[in-house]
Amino acid sequence: MNPTQRSLFERAVQVRDCAYAPYSKFHVGVSLITSKGHIFSGCNVENASYGLSMCAEMSAIAQMIAAGEKQISGLLVIGGGTAICTPCGRCRQMIREFAEQNTPIYLCSIDGQCETKTLGELLPFSFGPECLV
Ligand code: THU
C-alpha cells in the first residue's frame, strides 16, 4: 500500500467501527480522497424497514458534497467479512457521478488485502452527466 492507500485504509477501518448494521451484521467502511487531497469517510446505516438502508459509499459521498467538494481521486471500501468487498451496482453509479473512468477503487478486506480496479472496470460503458445533452 502507498501512503495515500494507507491513510484511506486507516480511515475506512475507523469509520467501519461506527456502522449501524444490526440486520445484516455486515459492517462497511468507505473512505475517499478528493482532488484537493481531503479525505471523507462513511459507514452503512441500516433501518428496521430494511429498504431504507444506506450504503457506506453514499454516506462518504454525502460528506464530500456537504464540504463543498465534487471530485473523487480515489475511493477505498472495506466490507464485513474477511474477503475483499466491492461496491454494489447503485454505489458504482453514485461514484461515477463524481469520478473518472480511470479513478482507482481499492477493494479491501479488514485484514489488509487490497485489490485495485478502475471505476471504468467496475462500471463499463456507463451513463453519466455528459450523456444528458
Ligand atoms: N453495503 C454497503 O454499505 N456498500 C456496498 O457497496 C455493499 C453493501 C451495505 C448495505 C447493507 O447495510 C449491508 O452492506 C449488507 O448488504
Side-chain angles (χ1 to χ4, degrees):
M1 273 191 219
N2 65 36
T4 300
Q5 279 172 269
R6 171 62 53 196
S7 305
L8 287 172
F9 185 81
E10 283 165 7
R11 289 283 292 271
V13 169
Q14 232 170 33
V15 75
R16 181 178 171 275
D17 274 346
C18 301
Y20 178 73
Y23 307 106
S24 72
K25 314 239 184 299
F26 192 83
H27 291 213
V28 184
V30 164
S31 57
L32 63 86
I33 186 159
T34 65
S35 53
K36 293 184 182 168
H38 297 135
I39 294 181
F40 297 95
S41 59
C43 56
N44 51 334
V45 185
E46 296 187 346
N47 188 275
S49 74
Y50 285 36
L52 287 180
S53 296
M54 192 167 74
C55 283
E57 290 86 339
M58 302 284 184
S59 139
I61 289 171
Q63 294 293 317
M64 174 187 77
I65 295 298
E69 295 200 48
K70 291 187 179 60
Q71 198 68 54
I72 298 173
S73 301
L75 182 144
L76 183 145
V77 52
I78 302 178
T82 48
I84 61 166
C85 185
T86 181
C88 73
R90 186 168 185 252
C91 288
R92 291 176 197 209
Q93 184 67 37
M94 277 298 287
I95 297 165
R96 162 70 172 87
E97 188 76 14
F98 305 109
E100 306 297 328
Q101 288 293 95
N102 62 359
T103 303
I105 311 293
Y106 309 113
L107 313 170
C108 301
S109 67
I110 192 69
D111 56 11
Q113 299 172 64
C114 278
E115 202 170 309
T116 306
K117 299 283 179 200
T118 63
L119 176 65
E121 286 174 311
L122 295 180
L123 193 68
F125 202 56
S126 61
F127 186 83
E130 68 284 353
C131 301
L132 293 172
V133 288

